[in-house]
Amino acid sequence: MATTMVLQSYYINVVILLILALASTFKGTEAQRAFFVFGDSLVDNGNNNYLATTARADAYPYGIDYPTRRPTGRFSNGRNIPDFISEAIGAEPTLPYLSPQLNGQRLLVGANFASAGIGILNDTGIQFVNIIRIFRQLQYFQEYQQRVSRLIGPARTQRLVNGALVLITLGGNDFVNNYYLVPYSARSRQYSLPDYVRYIISEYKKILRRLHDLGARRVIVTGTGPIGCVPAELAQRSTNGECSPELQRAAGLFNPQLIQIIQQLNNEIGENVFMGANTRQMALNFVTNPGAYGFVTSKVACCGQGPYNGLGLCTPLSNLCPNRDIYAFWDAFHPSEKANRIIVNQIMSGTTEYMYPMNLSTALTLDSNKNI
């Protein structure tokens, strides 16, 4: 009898210790700031690998410079913008939300909901068929919170989400994979370019407000890059290697209006929740002066075919440059790993020319002082 009681006491103590250890593990992980990512192929960490779509980066030579030397679903030769932000905040890279590995304490690191091909509008990227449109990404964010609530409870989940860093990247596809996808597209017949920009900006404002409603309190919102200067547009629209004036005009209209809605939202909320990243200017710097950043070219993609290596996807049969660090663009649309790092350096410490109303380093310092 005494032996049984001793064994029972022993097992109870072991269970208590295991529970305490598990709670400590979760608490330690939660203390690391969570990171959530929404958007398109510029920030997709591999969600589209799990979808029946042509918008995928799951074959060589994608990932050739990633630490594993294997394709991950990132549209890059190596790491992308979210990876470098994770590194900057001292966190491990977020897993794609659709990854079966995203469970247990890994959920507390955050999640990447991005999906290549999507835009602000639901009809953007329709040619890719099965992609995670932004409304669905936000639904997944709600689902994520329910999953985490079952793990650590609603109150701690709310703290985790409110204290998280969020990145959202939308807009470029609404031009290249919608308005300018084909001559006389449905949207270009419906709207003049200035009216179209005003329309998608008004829709973007609704998305950002919804993100705030779902608990986001520190959000980096990137503008479009210099979409008229990517190798794909040079291959299709340029006769002398100059950027497409029409697509550059589109980006020139979109980005200032994006900053305007960020101002409006921050004023309505009463604090600087949203930070605008002028990724157009960040990228235009190395597009117009590649040598200053160690690039040999900003016109020809490292991987591709046709003029400027700008036609079609990067595949095992494509031309492939031997040194990716001297190319500003990895494929027809996406920056190289080195270019992604340059962009994130500006997000972290850039002046108000690049980051409004503050850069990420300043925001992180403010949040640390508030004990977010």
Side-chain angles (χ1 to χ4, degrees), residues 296-315:
V296 168
T297 179
S298 61
K299 297 184 185 297
V300 181
C302 168
C303 183
Q305 47 278 317
Y308 307 100
N309 277 344
L311 296 179
L313 294 172
C314 171
T315 74

Side-chain angles (χ1 to χ4, degrees), residues 158-315:
Q158 184 176 347
R159 286 199 300 272
L160 181 144
V161 171
N162 290 162
L165 180 64
V166 177
L167 171 68
I168 184 167
T169 296
L170 293 171
N173 282 328
D174 293 286
F175 295 108
V176 299
N177 281 314
N178 193 328
Y179 195 84
Y180 292 109
L181 178 62
V182 293
Y184 308 107
S185 67
R187 287 297 188 183
S188 66
R189 284 183 277 114
Q190 182 182 12
Y191 293 104
S192 68
L193 179 61
D195 287 342
Y196 180 70
V197 171
R198 280 190 288 271
Y199 170 55
I200 61 175
I201 283 288
S202 67
E203 292 300 301
Y204 204 174
K205 187 175 182 181
K206 295 174 188 175
I207 292 164
L208 295 178
R209 189 179 283 115
R210 179 64 181 147
L211 199 51
H212 179 260
D213 291 343
L214 291 173
R217 295 295 179 266
R218 181 64 76 194
V219 185
I220 306 165
V221 186
T222 70
T224 70
I227 51 179
C229 303
V230 300
E233 299 306 328
L234 296 185
Q236 295 175 53
R237 301 172 186 274
S238 179
T239 55
N240 56 5
E242 296 301 314
C243 300
S244 164
E246 187 66 6
L247 275 108
Q248 286 300 87
R249 177 175 172 238
L253 290 170
F254 179 87
N255 289 299
Q257 291 183 48
L258 181 61
I259 295 299
Q260 288 175 7
I261 63 166
I262 286 171
Q263 289 175 318
Q264 291 167 11
L265 285 166
N266 286 342
N267 288 338
E268 290 167 15
I269 295 165
E271 59 179 319
N272 291 323
V273 168
F274 298 98
M275 299 177 291
N278 187 353
T279 41
R280 177 177 180 267
Q281 189 57 52
M282 292 174 190
L284 206 54
N285 287 345
F286 58 72
V287 163
T288 55
N289 189 9
Y293 296 85
F295 297 121
V296 168
T297 179
S298 61
K299 297 184 185 297
V300 181
C302 168
C303 183
Q305 47 278 317
Y308 307 100
N309 277 344
L311 296 179
L313 294 172
C314 171
T315 74

Side-chain angles (χ1 to χ4, degrees), residues 11 18 87 91 102 112 122 125 127 174 179 197 202-203 226 243 304 316:
Y11 286 129
L18 286 171
E87 180 184 277
L102 186 65
N112 186 309
N122 288 335
Q127 71 272 31
D174 293 286
Y179 195 84
V197 171
S202 67
E203 292 300 301
C243 300

Side-chain angles (χ1 to χ4, degrees), residues 120-183:
I120 296 165
L121 304 181
N122 288 335
D123 60 306
T124 292
I126 54 173
Q127 71 272 31
F128 302 124
V129 186
N130 190 24
I131 49 182
I132 313 170
R133 306 194 184 282
I134 189 61
F135 76 90
R136 185 65 174 133
Q137 292 184 27
L138 295 174
Q139 288 175 345
Y140 277 146
F141 189 33
Q142 288 179 280
E143 180 182 288
Y144 163 89
Q145 294 185 41
Q146 293 164 2
R147 291 172 64 189
V148 174
S149 288
R150 292 193 290 270
L151 197 65
I152 61 174
R156 289 174 68 188
T157 298
Q158 184 176 347
R159 286 199 300 272
L160 181 144
V161 171
N162 290 162
L165 180 64
V166 177
L167 171 68
I168 184 167
T169 296
L170 293 171
N173 282 328
D174 293 286
F175 295 108
V176 299
N177 281 314
N178 193 328
Y179 195 84
Y180 292 109
L181 178 62
V182 293

Side-chain angles (χ1 to χ4, degrees), residues 18-74:
L18 286 171
I19 291 170
L20 289 173
L22 187 62
S24 174
T25 300
F26 281 143
K27 186 175 181 182
T29 311
E30 189 184 353
Q32 294 288 328
R33 187 169 200 170
F35 182 34
F36 302 110
V37 181
F38 302 85
D40 57 28
S41 59
L42 290 166
V43 293
D44 184 354
N45 274 16
N47 279 305
N48 281 21
N49 285 1
Y50 302 95
L51 303 172
T53 177
T54 56
R56 295 163 71 109
D58 59 344
Y60 177 87
Y62 285 99
I64 189 171
D65 298 309
Y66 194 75
T68 60
R69 300 292 185 263
R70 293 179 179 178
T72 62
R74 292 163 172 83

